[in-house]
């Protein structure tokens, strides 16, 4: 082989540097995820849960067919 020893050492060390960089990035992502989880946990602790268990988005909806909305009513053809 006619490779210089310098090139061989540079190529040999590159994967470990890349591996260290990937490991640092993985650790940073884990820290960000943990911070996000902690933030969500504090928000849940600070916000009171629904005591009656009813969803406010579903309040006032009755089972069965719902009345037509104003935009669904055809007012031009009612004669």
């Amino acid at each position: 082989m006619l490779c210089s020893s310098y090139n061989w050492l540079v190529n040999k060390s590159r994967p470990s540097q890349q591996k260290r960089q990937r490991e640092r990035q993985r650790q940073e992502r884990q820290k960000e995820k943990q911070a996000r989880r902690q933030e969500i946990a504090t928000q849940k602790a600070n916000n009171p849960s629904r005591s009656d268990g009813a969803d406010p988005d579903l309040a006032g909806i009755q089972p069965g067919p719902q009345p037509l909305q104003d935009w669904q009513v055809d007012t031009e053809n009612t004669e």
Side-chain angles (χ1 to χ4, degrees), residues 15-54:
S16 63
Q17 289 175 353
Q18 290 173 344
K19 187 174 181 179
R20 278 190 223 110
Q21 185 179 14
R22 282 194 311 265
E23 183 65 21
R24 280 189 216 114
Q25 289 173 346
R26 187 188 68 79
Q27 289 174 352
E28 288 175 14
R29 282 194 307 267
Q30 288 297 331
K31 287 179 184 179
E32 290 172 3
K33 285 181 182 181
Q34 186 63 28
R36 235 181 294 136
R37 288 182 191 126
Q38 187 68 26
E39 182 180 333
I40 290 171
T42 56
Q43 286 178 353
K44 285 183 179 181
N46 292 338
N47 292 339
S49 62
R50 293 184 210 103
S51 60
D52 60 353

Side-chain angles (χ1 to χ4, degrees), residues 47-75:
N47 292 339
S49 62
R50 293 184 210 103
S51 60
D52 60 353
D55 190 350
D57 293 334
L58 301 177
I61 295 180
Q62 302 168 1
Q66 301 296 311
L68 294 176
Q69 298 292 322
D70 293 336
W71 63 271
Q72 293 174 318
V73 177
D74 189 16
T75 56

